Amino acid sequence: MEQQTRLGRGDVDSTPGSVRPGGRTAKVRAAVLEATEDALASTGFHALNMDRIAASAGVGKTTVYRRWGSPVGLVADLLRDMADRSLPAADTGTLAGDLRANAELVRETLTDPRMGAVFRAVIAAAACDEECAAALNGFYRARLEEWAPVVDRAAARGEVPAGTDGLELLRAVSAPLYYRFMVTREPLGPRDAERAVEAALAAAGGGVFTRR
């Protein structure tokens, strides 16, 4: 019996070197990144093996080595893909509502059994590899920039002082959640998310995050 893989026979583009949206190149990348995410969730970064990723994705080893080069390259590309696939920012009509949506999104991601394991593995990799660190920084920068307009809208409504730095305010919301997740390894519940929002709102109202 032939092994089922993520890249089915019907997905193969018969033209060598062909690159087109939705074609073989895109499908190979999707299969490899899904296999990478699975491996990170189950065994962590340090057990990431290029040959096993290729086998799981149904892709030739030479393709994986040529395109991604190393496990670090796989993680960096996975983070770029995750940023592209992330949910858009909320628009609830109030800054408190928007920040609660942001905090809940972070909390739900980190407490999800699969995605929590993936993020724990990626953060651990970033702690010891500069390329992973740069990729992780790029991921979070993209997410912060996606959400920053909620703060600009709040400033226009008079909810926070003019010139409030949206990136810094949003960092203040998620930082306590990541601290509990990665540093103290404490349970992360809805009240923790609410407390982070309340603290960030109080600081923002006092002008702590205004650009100087």
Side-chain angles (χ1 to χ4, degrees):
M1 180 182 295
E2 293 185 351
Q3 180 182 9
Q4 294 295 314
T5 65
R6 301 168 200 274
L7 190 65
R9 290 181 181 273
D11 295 331
V12 175
D13 177 2
S14 60
T15 306
S18 166
V19 177
R20 67 181 190 279
R24 179 170 173 78
T25 297
K27 289 170 182 174
V28 165
R29 180 174 184 250
V32 169
L33 294 185
E34 184 182 354
T36 300
E37 189 175 291
D38 287 346
L40 288 172
S42 61
T43 59
F45 173 73
H46 294 293
L48 203 60
N49 180 280
M50 301 281 280
D51 290 2
R52 286 198 291 270
I53 294 297
S56 179
V59 175
K61 290 187 291 184
T62 55
T63 298
V64 174
Y65 280 97
R66 182 175 63 249
R67 177 161 182 174
W68 287 275
S70 68
V72 169
L74 287 169
V75 171
D77 197 26
L78 176 62
L79 283 165
R80 287 189 288 269
D81 183 64
M82 288 167 61
D84 290 341
R85 291 186 283 117
S86 295
L87 294 174
D91 186 0
T92 66
T94 68
L95 180 59
D98 292 344
L99 295 185
R100 287 190 180 100
N102 179 269
E104 269 304 298
L105 179 60
V106 172
R107 188 189 71 81
E108 288 173 4
T109 299
L110 297 181
T111 56
D112 178 81
R114 174 185 173 85
M115 292 312 301
V118 170
F119 272 96
R120 202 180 297 280
V122 169
I123 292 170
C128 58
D129 185 276
E130 288 299 323
E131 187 179 348
C132 277
L136 187 62
N137 179 275
F139 170 82
Y140 283 115
R141 184 79 186 188
R143 296 306 295 144
L144 289 170
E145 289 174 350
E146 169 71 23
W147 281 81
V150 308
V151 181
D152 297 334
R153 292 195 296 266
R157 293 190 297 259
E159 295 180 81
V160 291
T164 296
D165 189 323
L167 300 183
E168 291 303 321
L169 175 49
L170 287 159
R171 284 191 180 101
V173 172
S174 59
L177 307 182
Y178 278 96
Y179 182 84
R180 293 177 73 93
F181 174 69
M182 281 300 295
V183 178
T184 63
R185 299 290 189 99
E186 296 173 86
L188 193 55
R191 181 59 190 139
D192 301 305
E194 179 64 23
R195 187 183 298 112
V197 170
E198 291 173 357
L201 283 171
V208 170
F209 302 114
T210 53
R211 299 179 182 88
R212 303 186 189 282

